[in-house]
Amino acid sequence: MIKRFICIFISITFLICTFSACSKEEEINVIYPISADPECLDPQIAETAEAILITRNCMEGVVRLGKHGEILPGVADKWKISSDGKTYTFHIREGAKWQKLNSHEDVLGKDFEKTFNYSVTAADCAFGIIRALRPETAAKNAYLLYCIKNAAKVHAGLMSENELGIHVSGDNLVIELERSNPDFIRLLTYPMCMPCNREFFEATGAKYGLEIKYTLCNGPFYVGNWAEKSTLTLYRSDSYVGKNRSAISAMYFNVNTDDEQIVKKFNQEDYNASPVNPQYLSKIDGSSHVKFAKQQNIVGGLVFNCTDLYLANENIRRALIAGLDIKSLDEERISAQGVIPESCRWGGDSYRKTAGTIEKPAVDAITADLLFEAGLEELERSNIDLKVLCTEEQREDVIRLIQSWQKIFGFSITVTSEVVGKDEMAQAVLDGEYQIAIGYFDATDGCTLQFLEKFTTDNEDNICSYSSEDYDAIISKCLYVFEGEQIIEGMKSAERLLITDGVFYPLYTDETCFAYRDEIKCAYPVSNVSDIDFTARVSENDKK
């Protein structure tokens, strides 16, 4: 009798503790501002920051990114990479499920709970990547997957998708590459590589991801409410049994584009998590209950307009770089280690850590003078006039740089500085209404090659209007020819060329910020502060 009483007491105590823990867990909600309502939640074509943010949290690929960019298990609990780096085998964990919704009856039929298999399978993982490579899907970043065997030909419509190097063997997803790419496994964390159930996708009749009933989520959250231009809500999934089950029970995303109002609402605790415009960071409540997650995903420096009357001349630009004396500047402010910012990844590590610092060319007065004279001769001029746009904060640095040019080129050059606001300067650079400016480039998704692509000919983000066959060839080879360490060396060569060619001379690093309150312990920026993972619990190392 006593033993029975003890057992009952222990059982009741356990249940009380369990319910208390669940109750405490369920009290954590996130209210978070987004810039716009996502037009579509189809992971394979998610492009906007909002669509990526939502799919990041309600979908899970074979692997996922950790707080420090490390590769963690997702739907796959383990994987193996062949010694030549060309074959990846992912074992899909037992118990992975799609979230069941009552509205799925409209898609799958009255008896959907009996007829539809809600288990996430290796076939689902394979079909998601296959869909991304179908020409008709028009996945924006599909070309990044061209290292997969026959992917380029399939994406171009020249070969059947059955010829792709993607196979299913029992509970395993096997992917064969044409050439090794150490960054490939990180690419599998992109929304376009999320699992997709073929039966459900085909049953939606081309409406996949357009309404809640046409969504099928396998991540720690699922879409529970989607009121256009108002509120989108994610709820914690009862079907998710992976290691990243979140302590957050619901996330409410409200459209708000007013930076000042966002800060006000955060300080009033109407929002308990929010990206913060750096200009408004000082206005955030600095109490001990507010935490910040920052990412160095911006590099600033001298931007040269390659379509300017004088700067279109390569010899003039190269002369300016050879005559640039940055040793006269404050070393603490000159923090850029290269063109690529710290947030860009290479596999499970930082690209910057892997590639190291790109050494900037030392000042060489003789070379600078010779290049400048050659440029003047080509322009049929004896002197040129240049103007550098900068902010008040950068003015002192710019004056020192101008002095280093005047010391070498003398009366052959006249350079002035013009102080403008940061927004005004950004707009001038965007419109091409500048000669030289302190410009900034940000890494939106952590992909090194995509960052470098900004400088290729005809790229819409090429604010320098740079056009170089040599540079384009390097980037093309990194994407479609090089393998293994060749890719790293190619990207380092591209960085050096941008500097020596007088296109972008990196000087500063800057960061974006994500603010959150104490109760939000499991959120962290993945590739930038608009791409937040709300699913991972705090590790013991992070607690320290």
Side-chain angles (χ1 to χ4, degrees):
M1 185 70 179
I2 292 175
K3 282 185 177 180
R4 186 183 174 196
F5 174 78
I6 292 172
C7 290
I8 293 172
F9 176 78
I10 291 172
S11 298
I12 292 173
T13 303
F14 173 77
L15 288 172
I16 290 173
C17 291
T18 301
F19 287 131
S20 296
C22 290
S23 176
K24 183 178 180 182
E25 188 177 60
E26 289 172 359
E27 288 175 358
I28 302 176
N29 294 326
V30 170
I31 305 174
Y32 187 88
I34 54 177
S35 299
D37 184 65
E39 294 181 0
C40 176
L41 294 179
D42 177 348
Q44 271 69 50
I45 60 174
E47 292 183 11
T48 66
E50 294 74 30
I52 291 171
L53 170 65
I54 302 303
T55 54
R56 171 80 63 192
N57 287 281
C58 66
M59 299 295 293
E60 183 172 69
V62 288
V63 289
R64 59 190 305 121
L65 286 176
K67 181 176 181 179
H68 305 292
E70 67 274 27
I71 305 297
L72 300 175
V75 175
D77 54 7
K78 56 186 176 181
W79 58 88
K80 181 173 65 176
I81 305 173
S82 62
S83 58
D84 63 1
K86 293 184 179 181
T87 304
Y88 289 69
T89 304
F90 298 91
H91 180 266
I92 307 306
R93 61 180 166 81
E94 186 178 354
K97 297 284 185 182
W98 296 103
Q99 174 67 40
K100 187 186 302 179
L101 300 179
N102 292 334
S103 58
H104 285 166
E105 181 179 339
D106 296 340
V107 180
L108 299 169
K110 189 174 182 180
D111 297 324
F112 74 98
E113 294 188 62
K114 296 179 181 178
T115 60
F116 185 76
N117 180 11
Y118 275 91
S119 297
V120 179
T121 66
D124 295 336
C125 298
F127 183 61
I129 302 173
I130 290 170
R131 264 202 71 218
L133 287 166
R134 283 179 171 177
E136 63 268 25
T137 302
K140 182 180 179 181
N141 295 319
Y143 69 97
L144 295 174
L145 301 174
Y146 281 4
C147 56
I148 298 175
K149 183 179 178 181
N150 296 328
K153 292 180 180 178
V154 170
H155 193 235
L158 301 175
M159 186 176 284
S160 165
E161 63 188 44
N162 294 326
E163 299 298 314
L164 274 171
I166 301 175
H167 312 287
V168 173
S169 177
D171 294 329
N172 294 325
L173 168 68
V174 182
I175 303 177
E176 296 178 58
L177 306 186
E178 286 186 356
R179 55 191 179 278
S180 63
N181 182 351
D183 198 39
F184 173 68
I185 195 165
R186 188 191 62 84
L187 298 178
L188 295 178
T189 68
Y190 276 38
M192 67 175 172
C193 295
M194 296 297 110
C196 181
N197 181 282
R198 187 189 294 263
E199 179 185 349
F200 184 88
F201 169 74
E202 293 176 350
T204 63
K207 295 180 179 179
Y208 186 61
L210 293 179
E211 296 179 36
I212 290 178
K213 64 182 177 183
Y214 299 125
T215 62
L216 192 60
C217 304
N218 75 313
F221 296 94
Y222 68 93
V223 185
N225 180 49
W226 190 0
E228 188 176 353
K229 296 182 180 178
S230 177
T231 302
L232 187 149
T233 307
L234 299 185
Y235 295 110
R236 186 172 58 226
S237 174
D238 295 329
S239 299
Y240 184 82
V241 294
K243 292 182 179 180
N244 290 285
R245 180 172 171 79
S246 179
I248 296 168
S249 60
M251 294 192 289
Y252 302 93
F253 296 95
N254 301 318
V255 176
N256 191 342
T257 57
D258 188 327
D259 288 324
E260 192 166 345
Q261 188 184 71
I262 288 172
V263 170
K264 183 178 179 181
K265 282 180 172 288
F266 184 86
N267 289 338
Q268 292 174 343
E269 300 189 27
D270 293 333
Y271 297 144
N272 53 3
S274 174
V276 182
N277 185 321
Q279 295 180 39
Y280 291 87
L281 189 57
S282 61
K283 295 183 179 181
I284 289 286
D285 171 20
S287 74
S288 59
H289 298 292
V290 176
K291 303 289 188 289
F292 298 97
K294 300 180 180 181
Q295 278 215 336
Q296 286 192 348
N297 63 333
I298 300 173
V299 170
L302 290 172
V303 179
F304 296 80
N305 186 346
C306 298
T307 59
D308 176 72
L309 176 63
Y310 306 133
L311 298 175
N313 185 283
E314 185 177 323
N315 281 324
I316 294 293
R317 296 198 315 271
R318 290 173 68 89
L320 292 173
I321 295 303
L324 205 58
D325 182 11
I326 64 169
K327 290 183 179 180
S328 62
L329 306 183
D330 185 346
E331 291 184 6
E332 291 185 5
R333 283 177 47 77
I334 307 305
S335 53
Q337 297 181 45
V339 173
I340 305 299
E342 185 66 31
S343 65
C344 283
R345 312 301 302 174
W346 181 246
D349 214 333
S350 160
Y351 164 79
R352 196 74 278 152
K353 180 180 177 181
T354 305
T357 300
I358 300 299
E359 293 294 333
K360 301 182 182 77
V363 62
D364 185 342
I366 295 175
T367 299
D369 193 50
L370 289 172
L371 287 169
F372 199 75
E373 287 298 323
L376 289 178
E377 186 176 340
E378 290 165 354
L379 292 170
E380 299 181 348
R381 293 188 63 89
S382 59
N383 57 67
I384 60 173
D385 300 321
L386 296 174
K387 181 188 292 183
V388 183
L389 298 182
C390 63
T391 63
E392 183 61 45
E393 181 186 19
Q394 300 152 351
R395 185 171 181 272
E396 189 175 331
D397 283 344
V398 168
I399 288 174
R400 290 178 180 175
L401 295 177
I402 290 174
Q403 288 171 345
S404 70
W405 286 332
Q406 291 176 327
K407 183 179 179 180
I408 294 174
F409 307 126
F411 294 110
S412 297
I413 191 170
T414 301
V415 190
T416 58
S417 64
E418 181 180 345
V419 175
V420 296
K422 194 169 184 178
D423 291 341
E424 183 183 350
M425 182 164 58
Q427 191 61 50
V429 171
L430 198 61
D431 295 338
E433 300 294 330
Y434 75 103
Q435 289 180 297
I436 305 173
I438 301 292
Y440 290 85
F441 292 90
D442 67 320
T444 54
D445 63 2
C447 182
T448 306
L449 271 172
Q450 282 188 311
F451 188 93
L452 290 171
E453 273 191 295
K454 295 176 189 286
F455 300 93
T456 55
T457 305
D458 298 329
N459 189 293
E460 60 183 14
D461 294 322
N462 187 351
I463 59 175
C464 305
S465 299
Y466 179 49
S467 180
S468 165
E469 291 183 2
D470 290 341
Y471 185 83
D472 291 350
I474 291 172
I475 301 303
S476 180
K477 287 179 180 179
C478 286
L479 284 167
Y480 312 124
V481 179
F482 290 159
E483 58 182 317
E485 293 305 310
Q486 287 180 316
I487 306 174
I488 281 280
E489 293 304 315
M491 291 189 292
K492 288 165 64 176
S493 296
E495 284 191 272
R496 293 190 195 98
L497 194 57
L498 288 175
I499 296 172
T500 57
D501 259 8
V503 181
F504 178 58
Y505 193 97
L507 295 171
Y508 316 112
T509 58
D510 206 349
E511 55 194 13
T512 49
C513 183
F514 166 69
Y516 59 99
R517 297 197 176 275
D518 265 353
E519 66 268 22
I520 314 298
K521 297 183 183 295
C522 53
Y524 58 86
V526 178
S527 56
N528 60 72
V529 296
S530 64
D531 185 7
I532 307 296
D533 190 324
F534 287 96
T535 63
R537 295 183 180 277
V538 179
S539 71
E540 290 304 315
N541 287 334
D542 291 326
K543 288 178 182 177
K544 296 174 184 177

